[in-house]
């Protein structure tokens, strides 16, 4: 498989890292890709570190294993940096996207010498300001799309608008909030 | 052309159930198959199917419900995993010997202990002698396709059928899938029209007879024949399915076997990982191939013997252990198949792998091929009963 | 393939048997002569019988028929296994168990 992008998500049980990985799979699927989105299951506990994965390719994917050498890593909860070796196997040419109010330079020393791109996005703040609640999913998803280019940006925005309209048909105020969060995240993600 | 979608394996099976719209579902939740009755009960609640959904208090009751319903003349379904399947076991025998073509979706999971919720095939392999037909899927597409073919196969030979997929690995993974239009599904699956059934007004009948030693063995011989006959039926239904979808199925799938000198036999999701491993090895000019067993019951002994007859070495991969100090079931049955066919040349080893969700990587499969290569070069088979990637 | 109980004989082959040994007719127990399991048989002394009918409902094999006139009739020896319950409940000693000579 030459043309394949592999992404690993780190989060805590209940924060929606699995849902985010499924949303990314959806977005990529909607632009015509072959996708996989799957969590690594254990005895689920609220707050325990969890991992989820994406494979995205323009060819059929047959592998059914976890991802050990991802192109990208997304960290939904900054406090995991000290608990989990989030850059394990991460390709040098790839990037890590972290939910943090810090700059990439401030975060890099925590990453055990990782030499690739380090990106930060204050998904918590964006979510609080645009949705009134801490739902870091949407901004994190937007940030990884921006950083990885795994889905074309305009197509992604159009697709997400469609799915928000569907998901929040009875709560239209959520559609605009989510769309603002999405666009802000794509603008505000710091790539270092 | 089908409908392009992305679904998890459990969603795909529930969707197939919805398209078929069976008469009765008796089910009890257990990880990782819980989502199947969960999604399906939503279809029932929304009026998208007119199935009678019977929430029972155990898997034993779930299968008993199916037995009663199917004997009455209904199409009955259930779904389960792991110890739920164990708890059903007594009734699995009843379903098969009463010749009731019930359809059971299994999202395979390890058994205790230690307690574990992840995938292996211990549950399905533990009930391999209950008389059920058993098809295994590599991915969500095959879980869906196998489910659509299940009733045609089971009803043709009057045997119940298990549609197995790997718990979590495919049951909870979203992947692309091509769905078949519902009208085509309905036409393909057809109506269930048994000749005899309990609710037939003008013909009283008994089900579940007591048979003395004078009759019991004849009843079993007849049941054995149904399993033998199922081989042709599975091939026929798989070919017919191919005509409407472009996806043709047989008892086994061979991959890069034409000139293969080393081969592995495998069931389930790791077959896909093995294909990737084989592509990489073929790029290095290694003559390696794969036999994926789709139908474990009936066991495709002739087909496997034929596919293996020219290889120099093979590894049978068992995702459970028989704890017989000897080998797992796929190895045992493969060796029996070769012996029966008079083929003694290939050297064979057995790997117990992937227990309790131990991840099976491309590298894992390549390690097996490296071991096979060593056997071919040295002529020494060595230990045949091996554990893959266990810490020593 | 036979569908009826009468054809399910000990010489039937596996190809001829019904699936799951199902029987496609009702009330087939009427065909089974349980009377030949008997070693002792009940005999009724019509003079002592007061037609109290305590015997008929306790018979496990429904072998004491009661007529439309509400009176019991003689034993049905096709089904009677000779268990002796009727003789035991009879308050008048009207039923005697004797060795069954066949």
């Amino acid at each position: 498989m030459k043309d394949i992008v592999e992404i690993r998500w780190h989060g805590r049980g209940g924060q929606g890292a699995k849902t985010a990985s499924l949303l990314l799979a959806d977005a990529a699927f909607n632009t015509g890709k072959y996708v996989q989105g799957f969590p690594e299951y254990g005895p689920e506990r609220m707050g325990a570190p969890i991992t989820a994965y994406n494979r995205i390719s323009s060819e059929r994917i047959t592998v059914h294993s976890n991802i050990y050498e991802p192109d990208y890593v997304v960290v939904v909860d900054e406090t995991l940096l000290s608990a989990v070796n989030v850059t394990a196997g991460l390709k040098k040419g790839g990037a890590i996207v972290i939910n943090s109010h810090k700059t990439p330079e401030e975060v890099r020393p925590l990453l055990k010498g990782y030499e690739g791109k380090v990106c930060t996005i204050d998904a918590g703040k964006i979510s609080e300001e645009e949705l009134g609640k801490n739902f870091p999913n949407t901004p994190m998803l937007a940030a990884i799309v921006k950083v990885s280019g795994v889905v074309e940006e305009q197509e992604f925005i159009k697709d997400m608008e469609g799915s928000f309209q569907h998901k929040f048909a009875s709560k239209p105020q959520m559609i605009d909030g989510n769309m603002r969060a999405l666009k802000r995240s794509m603008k505000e993600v710091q790539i270092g | 052309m089908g409908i392009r979608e992305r679904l998890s394996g459990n969603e795909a099976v529930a969707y197939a159930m919805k398209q078929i719209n069976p008469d009765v579902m008796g089910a009890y939740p257990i990880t990782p198959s819980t989502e199947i009755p969960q999604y399906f009960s939503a279809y029932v609640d929304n009026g998208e199917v007119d199935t009678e959904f019977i929430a029972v208090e155990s898997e034993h009751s779930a299968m008993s419900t199916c037995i009663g319903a199917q004997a009455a003349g209904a199409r009955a379904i259930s779904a389960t995993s792991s110890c739920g399947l164990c708890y059903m076991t007594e009734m699995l025998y009843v379903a098969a010997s009463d010749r009731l073509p019930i359809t059971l979706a299994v999202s395979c999971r390890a058994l205790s202990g230690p307690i574990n919720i992840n995938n292996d095939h211990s549950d399905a392999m533990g009930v391999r002698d209950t008389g059920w037909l058993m098809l295994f899927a590599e991915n969500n597409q095959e879980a869906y396709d196998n489910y659509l073919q299940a009733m045609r196969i089971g009803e043709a030979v009057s045997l119940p059928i298990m549609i197995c997929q790997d718990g979590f690995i495919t049951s909870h993974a979203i992947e692309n899938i091509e769905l078949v239009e519902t009208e085509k599904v309905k036409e393909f699956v057809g109506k269930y029209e048994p000749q005899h059934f309990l609710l037939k007004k003008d013909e009283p009948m008994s089900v579940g007879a007591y048979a003395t030693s004078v009759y019991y063995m004849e009843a079993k011989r007849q049941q054995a024949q149904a399993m033998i006959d199922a081989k042709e039926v599975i091939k026929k239904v798989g070919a017919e399915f191919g005509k409407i979808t472009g996806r043709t199925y047989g008892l086994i799938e061979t991959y890069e076997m034409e000139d293969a000198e080393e081969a592995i036999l495998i069931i389930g999701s790791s077959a896909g990982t093995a294909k990737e491993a084989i592509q990489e090895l073929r790029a290095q000019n290694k003559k390696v191939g794969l036999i994926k067993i789709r139908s474990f019951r009936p066991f495709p002994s002739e087909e496997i013997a034929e596919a293996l007859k020219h290889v120099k070495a093979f590894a049978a991969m068992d995702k459970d252990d028989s704890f017989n100090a000897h080998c797992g079931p796929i190895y045992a049955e493969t060796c029996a198949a070769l012996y029966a066919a008079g083929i003694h040349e290939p050297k064979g080893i057995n790997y117990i792998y992937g227990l309790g969700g131990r991840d099976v990587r491309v590298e894992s499969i390549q390690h097996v091929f490296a071991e096979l290569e060593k056997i071919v070069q040295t002529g020494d088979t060595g230990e045949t009963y091996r554990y893959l990637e266990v810490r020593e | 393939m036979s569908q009826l109980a009468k054809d399910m004989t000990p010489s039937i082959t596996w190809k001829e048997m019904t699936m799951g040994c199902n029987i496609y007719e009702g009330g087939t127990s009427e065909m089974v002569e349980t009377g030949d399991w008997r070693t002792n048989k009940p005999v009724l002394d019509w003079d002592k019988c007061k037609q109290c009918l305590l015997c008929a409902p306790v018979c496990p094999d429904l072998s004491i028929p009661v007529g439309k006139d509400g009176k019991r009739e003689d034993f049905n020896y096709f089904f009677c296994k000779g268990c002796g319950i009727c003789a035991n409940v009879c308050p008048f000693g009207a039923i005697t168990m004797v060795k069954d000579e066949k």
Side-chain angles (χ1 to χ4, degrees), chain C residues 37-99:
Chain C
W37 304 5
R38 198 170 55 231
T39 51
N40 291 315
K41 73 171 185 180
V43 176
L44 183 66
D45 183 339
W46 290 97
D47 292 338
K48 289 186 183 171
C49 177
K50 307 281 188 250
Q51 289 293 347
C52 71
L53 294 188
L54 284 176
C55 56
V58 300
C59 175
D61 293 298
L62 298 176
S63 300
I64 304 177
V66 178
K68 284 204 174 104
D69 58 356
K71 292 187 173 168
R72 66 153 290 175
E73 296 164 4
D74 200 1
F75 293 103
N76 181 339
Y77 290 111
F78 187 79
F79 295 120
C80 172
K81 292 182 195 135
C83 69
I85 295 175
C86 54
N88 216 29
V89 299
C90 179
F92 307 105
I95 301 172
T96 317
M97 298 303 292
V98 303
K99 193 166 166 44

Side-chain angles (χ1 to χ4, degrees), chain A residues 26 29 35 37 62 64 66 68, chain B residues 4 6 174-176 273 359:
Chain A
D26 268 6
F29 170 84
V35 298
T62 65
H64 284 113
N66 295 337
Y68 298 89
Chain B
R4 183 177 176 271
R6 77 294 193 195
I174 304 287
E175 289 191 83
N176 295 51
T273 309
D359 201 24

Side-chain angles (χ1 to χ4, degrees), chain B residues 59-96:
Chain B
E59 287 82 0
H60 189 284
S61 303
M63 189 42 60
S64 300
T65 299
C66 289
I67 290 168
Q70 193 87 30
R75 244 183 198 146
I77 62 168
S78 191
T80 195
S81 294
S82 190
C83 31
L85 189 60
C86 294
Y87 194 18
M88 255 184 208
T89 306
E90 179 189 6
M91 301 319 289
L92 294 178
Y93 280 90
V94 175

Side-chain angles (χ1 to χ4, degrees), chain A residues 11 32-33 42 51-52 75 79 96 130 132 137 140 165 167 184:
Chain A
K33 302 275 193 187
T51 314
V75 182
T79 63
I96 181 166
E130 302 299 345
N137 267 350
M140 290 312 289
Q165 275 165 357
K167 191 174 168 193
R184 253 186 79 179

Side-chain angles (χ1 to χ4, degrees), chain B residues 271-288:
Chain B
T273 309
K275 287 174 185 171
E276 179 72 13
I278 288 167
Q279 277 184 21
E280 289 179 14
L281 292 172
R282 283 270 168 184
Q284 301 163 31
N285 295 319
K286 308 241 186 228
K287 292 187 171 173
V288 293

Side-chain angles (χ1 to χ4, degrees), chain B residues 309-331:
Chain B
K309 76 180 173 196
H310 296 305
V311 309
K312 292 179 177 162
F314 70 87
M317 309 291 291
D318 276 293
K319 223 174 195 178
D320 80 317
D321 194 343
S322 285
F323 297 110
N324 53 6
H326 173 44
C327 67
I330 297 175
Y331 182 76

Side-chain angles (χ1 to χ4, degrees), chain B residues 143-177:
Chain B
Y144 172 77
D145 290 351
N146 286 349
Y147 201 89
L148 294 184
Q149 295 168 61
M151 290 167 192
R152 286 281 305 277
I153 298 165
E155 288 164 14
V157 292
S158 296
L159 285 178
I161 181 163
M162 249 175 247
I163 299 301
C164 306
Q165 63 172 312
D166 285 353
F168 292 116
I169 299 172
T170 66
S171 75
H172 282 64
I174 304 287
E175 289 191 83
N176 295 51
I177 188 169

